[in-house]
Amino acid sequence: MTAVTDEDQGNDSGTRKPDGRWDDGLIARRAAAAEPREAAGPAPRTAAEDDADPQVEAYAPADGPLPTRLDALRELVGLSRARLDRDTLAEAGRVLDEAAARQRLSSRHTVIAVAGATGSGKSTLFNALAGAPISDTGLRRPTTSQPIACSWTDGAAGLLDRLAVPGRLRRRPHPGPTASDETLQGLVLVDLPDHDSAATEHREQVDRVLALVDAVIWVVDPEKYADAALHERYLRPLAGHAEVTFVVLNQTDRLPGEAADLVLDDLRRLLDEDGIALGEHGEPGATVMSLSALTGDGVPELRELIGRFVQDRTAATRRLSADIDAAAARLRPVYVADGRPGLGERARDAFTDRLAEAVGAAAAGQAAEREWRRNASRACGTPWLRLWRWYENRGLPGSLDRMGQALTPPEEELTARQRVEQAVRIVADDAADGLPGLWAQAVREAAFTGAQGLPEALDELAVKAGAPGAAKRGGRTEAGQDTAAGAPPGGRPAKPPRPKWWPAAVLAQASMTLLQIFGGLWLVGQIIGVLEPGLIVPALIMLAGVVGGPLVEWACAAAIRGPARRYGQDAERRLREAAAGCGRARVLDPVSAELARYREVRERYVTVTEFSTTGR
């Protein structure tokens, strides 16, 4: 047996006028011009008449979190446009546009949509709330093809224009207790097409209007209250809008005995699974009740609830806040990730160490120390030792200079660029660790873009500092010039400065050399008979020169050990700082700027979410 729907019953029980004609509810199109105005009631308002009414004041929310959240969301979208694609920010942009549009319109009106499936009796409930048969009811499906609005007060034209409700479908309740109810003043009730209609344009209208109204009354019937299309497509995605949602179980007059209570309990269970029902601890949730629009049982209670809801005048604010929550929830994976993103001192120091290793800072320091020692040995060494070193410096095989140049293995020179690239890759991964995907990609791109030309710049620094092998690695500077002025060919630094005691050491060594020469000449003179014999004195003088020269050289070597080490460390530090400054300017600063931008948008996102009224 086919069940007779609430709307079907409403058609059979229509009101018969004294002249025998049926009133089918289409007041605007069926009103007879000849009937007395008292019998037919006031004529429905046209769109032109409604638009002619002065608009009430624009929406101005009281002091609260909503303006702060909207400003933060606007700044968040603005700061993210350069990093995120348009599709990712589309929903947030739509929320901002709709919020701005709603705030320009009336703050004294609350727009509530009545939505439901085919045969649920939503049009009958709409008529019962309006106190007049405004919306079609009957056997024909769908009976509602376009949104129909009923406004209790003037000044709602802008809101209805936003909903694209045609002027011919805008109604006013008939004079009576419902129209004069003070609690309903400011209510704009909209009857929607069936959300499960076979006509695609009807479903599209439902989706469009539901995104714009301040609240919604979902009407379900005992047969289709558990319909998956309703729960999965609407109720579950709109769980964050529970505070502005009413769920009404209609047609309870068809349920015998306690069946209505059982069905209502099962409906609450389903809504709880959807996350929309009122929680056990009183957290925000939807208003759930049962009634029969046909018999009027429960309608006054629903009208009373709607009246309190309208007079509260917070529906628009709650709806906008819920929209912001939904947009923030979609953006959460973009702005929030596990971990603590950033670039700590340890990562910065490790990056500097790798660049210093790539540029050969340690080898440059060792080379500078050896150069200091070599200069000291040349100045303070014996003439004979200097003669031997001069002989080596002629480039003969086995010379010390050749050995010094061979201290940097060729394979290290070949991998200098690879070390720089590895250092950049590691610091980029450290900085991007804990960031959401898109921001991590932006950080890595900033690091790799800044690192372009970094190996060449480090080679230039090495050439200027005279690091071993730098001349082979560098070749030419970024400006296309040869090695820097003041740096000798081959990449060697200028001779290190001499300490103050150096001249005294040179004089002492010269004195030892003169003693050797003087003693040797004295002995030669005695041997050839020019001088009187006496070998002891000239031998002692010559021995003092021979022994004193090495002693002076040894003393100088001991004295220059500390200054030579400090000079090498100084050279290593300067090259290390130069490499660190180059890496900081090219890599670390762009990465830090990108991280600062992320922290800024993250703060805006926190502002958007921390004042959420729904707790989502």
Side-chain angles (χ1 to χ4, degrees), residues 6-16 22-23 124 137 294:
D6 195 339
E7 293 182 7
D8 300 337
Q9 297 177 31
N11 185 57
D12 295 337
S13 58
T15 304
R16 183 182 297 274
W22 285 95
D23 181 1
T124 304
T137 61
L294 180 62

Side-chain angles (χ1 to χ4, degrees), residues 199-243:
T200 304
E201 59 273 14
H202 293 179
R203 298 196 301 269
E204 292 175 350
Q205 288 193 57
V206 172
D207 295 342
R208 178 183 58 82
V209 175
L210 286 179
L212 302 176
V213 296
D214 300 329
V216 59
I217 300 175
W218 287 101
V219 183
V220 297
D221 62 84
E223 292 182 355
K224 295 192 289 187
Y225 71 92
D227 186 16
L230 170 65
H231 290 269
E232 294 178 4
R233 185 176 179 184
Y234 293 104
L235 296 181
R236 196 167 299 163
L238 294 176
H241 297 70
E243 285 188 290

Side-chain angles (χ1 to χ4, degrees), residues 552-565:
V552 170
E553 185 174 358
W554 175 82
C556 290
I560 67 175
R561 188 174 304 162
R565 184 182 302 110

Side-chain angles (χ1 to χ4, degrees), residues 409-493:
E411 58 272 15
E412 292 190 6
E413 298 175 10
L414 295 176
T415 59
R417 178 181 294 272
Q418 297 175 3
R419 291 183 179 181
V420 174
E421 294 173 351
Q422 181 185 26
V424 173
R425 184 169 57 254
I426 292 175
V427 76
D429 290 341
D430 290 341
D433 185 32
L435 286 175
L438 292 175
W439 292 98
Q441 180 182 355
V443 166
R444 290 189 176 93
E445 289 179 354
F448 296 145
T449 301
Q452 294 178 1
L454 180 59
E456 290 78 9
L458 293 178
D459 279 338
E460 179 183 356
L461 293 176
V463 169
K464 292 180 179 180
K472 296 180 181 180
R473 293 197 307 267
R476 298 180 67 83
T477 65
E478 289 182 344
Q481 300 175 351
D482 291 330
T483 55
R492 287 193 180 184

